[in-house]
């Protein structure tokens, strides 16, 4: 597939659209088995992880190393998952 004004379009460019689809579909399937806080966290997690994956790994886009400001939103995510079984 090509675009007249741009270079050849590689199928890997569509990974940003496929990964959230997989995350959200699995969340919908698991809703009856997961507690409510976890079903709230799961749609937010891909929105944080996918940009990190796309910009860090050697995909055909400019690579940026993962720095502390990029990693900071991931820090509070495990906290409710860890404390959820205690309540």
């Amino acid at each position: 597939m090509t675009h007249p004004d741009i270079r050849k379009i590689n199928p890997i460019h569509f990974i940003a659209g496929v990964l959230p689809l997989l995350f959200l579909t699995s969340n919908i399937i698991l809703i009856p088995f997961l507690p409510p806080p976890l079903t709230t966290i799961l749609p937010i997690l891909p929105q944080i992880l996918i940009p990190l994956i796309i910009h860090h790994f050697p995909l055909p886009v400019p690579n940026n190393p993962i720095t502390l400001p990029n990693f900071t939103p991931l820090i509070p995510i495990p906290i409710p998952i860890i404390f959820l079984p205690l309540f």
Side-chain angles (χ1 to χ4, degrees):
M1 182 182 343
T2 59
H3 189 275
D5 298 332
I6 309 175
R7 62 191 163 135
K8 182 180 177 193
I9 297 174
N10 192 342
I12 197 83
H13 294 141
F14 297 101
I15 195 167
V18 174
L19 287 178
L21 175 73
L22 295 175
F23 274 112
L24 291 175
T25 304
S26 63
N27 187 26
I28 291 170
I29 292 171
L30 294 174
I31 280 177
F33 307 106
L34 296 175
L38 200 53
T39 58
T40 305
I41 292 170
L42 285 178
I44 297 169
L45 187 61
Q47 294 178 4
I48 298 171
L49 281 178
I50 291 168
L52 286 176
I53 292 169
I54 290 172
H55 291 296
H56 179 70
F57 293 105
L59 297 172
V61 294
N63 294 359
N64 298 324
I66 295 178
T67 59
L68 186 62
N70 294 345
F71 188 74
T72 304
L74 289 175
I75 295 172
I77 299 264
I79 294 171
I81 296 172
I82 292 169
F83 288 115
L84 194 61
L86 298 177
F87 295 103

